[in-house]
């Protein structure tokens, strides 16, 4: 698998910062092969497609493969239409999907870890029409749960959320219920894994992240994570349950665990 394995964060959790992975690379793009006019898109998609076929013929084809024009266009947009950078990022993403067997993930394959209730895809969209991934932090116990299974559940839920995107919508909402969060729930490497997934493999799909009712003990943990996730930290909003109720859902669409 392309990403490092997730290990639990020992208590006191702020002593483990030295063992975490390196921060994201700087998101820069070259002027060469960079176009931004939408009329150039078909030509640039073809260039990426031909380059992938020539340089990486062993990569799979079909949906989410090296000839998936919709996927190619998305990564071109993410890389500000730099062909070379889109090819590099796409290659990494396609290889990861292949190595992690993303296409084989199913409700049955993640059933065991999903039954913990630590994360799920909400049945309703938020008021902005975004699929909602809910994480219940108090149910995530790194010392008891297998890190690979956690990663599989995470990836499966992201895939499922993207499949629920309404026409014209491109982003999803991450909703972290931090009530009851304690040091035993802190998992620095897994949280950076989650943001890495969105940066490398699902770019520009995470529209906003809500940290709901964050307790005092969560604050120093977030201060360690924040530098690692770079610009993704700007997507995070600390808020109350009341804010979730009033600003993100209707009474009929509110997730059950936010009704009380």
């Amino acid at each position: 698998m392309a990403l490092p394995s997730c290990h639990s964060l020992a208590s006191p959790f702020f002593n483990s910062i030295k063992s975490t992975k390196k921060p994201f690379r700087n998101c820069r793009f070259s002027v060469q092969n960079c176009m931004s006019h939408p009329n150039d898109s078909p030509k640039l998609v073809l260039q990426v497609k031909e380059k992938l076929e020539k340089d990486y013929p062993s990569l799979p084809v079909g949906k989410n493969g090296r000839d998936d024009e919709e996927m190619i266009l998305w990564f071109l947009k993410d890389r500000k239409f730099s062909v070379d950078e889109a090819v590099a990022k796409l290659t990494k993403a396609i290889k990861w999907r292949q190595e992690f067997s993303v296409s084989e993930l199913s409700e049955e394959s993640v059933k065991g870890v999903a039954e913990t209730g630590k994360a799920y895809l909400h049945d309703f969209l938020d008021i902005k029409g975004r699929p909602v991934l809910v994480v219940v932090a108090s149910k995530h116990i790194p010392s008891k749960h297998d890190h690979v299974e956690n990663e599989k559940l995470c990836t499966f839920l992201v895939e499922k959320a993207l499949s629920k995107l309404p026409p014209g919508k491109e982003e999803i909402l991450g909703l972290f219920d931090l009530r009851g969060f304690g040091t035993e729930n802190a998992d620095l490497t897994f949280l950076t894994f989650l943001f890495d997934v969105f940066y490398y493999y699902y770019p520009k799909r995470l529209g906003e992240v809500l940290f709901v009712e964050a307790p005092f003990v969560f604050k120093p943990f977030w201060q360690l994570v924040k530098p690692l996730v770079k610009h993704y930290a700007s997507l995070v909003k600390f808020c109350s349950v009341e804010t979730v109720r009033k600003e993100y859902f209707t009474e009929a669409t509110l997730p059950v665990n936010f009704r009380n």
Side-chain angles (χ1 to χ4, degrees), residues 19-30:
S19 66
T20 60
K21 62 192 292 300
K22 295 180 180 179
F24 288 142
R25 303 171 185 172
N26 291 328
C27 300
R28 296 178 294 182
F29 61 95
S30 61

Side-chain angles (χ1 to χ4, degrees), residues 4 55 62-63 95-96 112 116 121 127 130 133-135 142-143 160 187 199 203 245 257:
D55 298 341
K63 184 172 176 57
K95 285 182 177 179
W96 171 77
T116 64
L121 179 65
I127 59 172
R130 300 175 296 190
L133 286 179
V134 181
V135 176
S143 62
K160 188 176 179 180
D187 194 346
Y199 175 77
R245 291 170 179 162
N257 47 316

Side-chain angles (χ1 to χ4, degrees), residues 25 52 56 75 82-93:
R25 303 171 185 172
L52 287 171
Y56 304 96
F75 275 72
S82 166
V83 169
D84 289 341
E85 293 201 8
V87 166
K89 196 165 184 178
L90 263 168
T91 301
K92 182 183 180 75

Side-chain angles (χ1 to χ4, degrees), residues 119-140:
Y120 62 92
L121 179 65
H122 184 41
D123 293 333
F124 299 97
L125 306 176
D126 74 348
I127 59 172
K128 295 182 180 180
R130 300 175 296 190
V132 182
L133 286 179
V134 181
V135 176
V136 184
S138 63
K139 295 183 179 181
H140 177 70

